[in-house]
Amino acid sequence: MNLSQFPFDQLSPQFIPFQYNNKHNNHDNNSSNSTQPSIIQHPKSIRSITVDRCSNFVTSGVNGSDINLLSQLYKARTDSEEYISLLVYSVPDLKRIPFEEAIRQEFRPTQLGEWFGPSWSTHWFHVRLRIPEEFVGEEVHFIWNSDNEALIWSMEGLPLQGLTGGGKV
């Protein structure tokens, strides 16, 4: 989550500052030389605290993933292999191959959480989806984040959508 567009006080203290007034009023019978803190007119936002609190709404964080903002945006979720089939072909020797060559390769089953590397390697995925009955009539999103750059192709070999992973938009 990028909160750089929100204005924050650039100070880094981890406390809300007070203004101290050291006034000695000679006309006041109850006056003393004590220093009295007074709360400033506009409270300061401390960036690190604000960012931490906001991140609890979009990550599993302290509150858990069942009650944060994402749980409300995507109430029905599944990563079950009953509904999602993932196959992969890893191109050897850091080569790049065209769509026509990629679809003729032998794809193997893979699953969520498998690591694909090294850096700059190419992996072609074949994704098959079956929409669960409880999703019928709802807007359905396929969320894919492989933490890299990717391209979605049609079955006819037409590029449809580029993706950038790692939470970037």
Side-chain angles (χ1 to χ4, degrees), residues 59-117:
T59 64
S60 57
V62 177
N63 298 324
S65 59
D66 58 335
I67 59 171
N68 66 11
L69 182 59
L70 288 179
S71 71
Q72 299 306 305
L73 290 174
Y74 305 111
K75 290 184 184 240
R77 296 180 72 129
T78 186
D79 59 5
S80 169
E81 292 179 6
E82 180 181 353
Y83 301 108
I84 303 169
S85 168
L86 297 174
L87 303 172
V88 64
Y89 169 68
S90 298
V91 181
D93 303 321
L94 301 179
K95 292 182 182 174
R96 305 288 184 261
I97 61 174
F99 177 86
E100 295 77 19
E101 185 178 341
I103 61 173
R104 292 192 308 263
Q105 304 305 313
E106 187 70 30
F107 283 68
R108 67 171 178 80
T110 186
Q111 60 190 12
L112 184 65
E114 183 174 342
W115 181 82
F116 296 95

Side-chain angles (χ1 to χ4, degrees), residues 75-78 82-83 131-138 140:
K75 290 184 184 240
R77 296 180 72 129
T78 186
E82 180 181 353
Y83 301 108
I131 307 299
E133 288 290 325
E134 59 268 20
F135 291 13
V136 172
E138 299 292 329
V140 175

Side-chain angles (χ1 to χ4, degrees), residues 49-61:
I49 293 173
T50 304
V51 169
D52 286 345
R53 289 180 179 164
C54 289
S55 70
N56 284 333
F57 289 99
V58 294
T59 64
S60 57

Side-chain angles (χ1 to χ4, degrees), residues 37-52:
S38 63
I39 297 177
I40 60 176
Q41 294 296 322
H42 301 285
K44 303 288 183 183
S45 294
I46 300 171
R47 181 171 173 63
S48 62
I49 293 173
T50 304
V51 169
D52 286 345

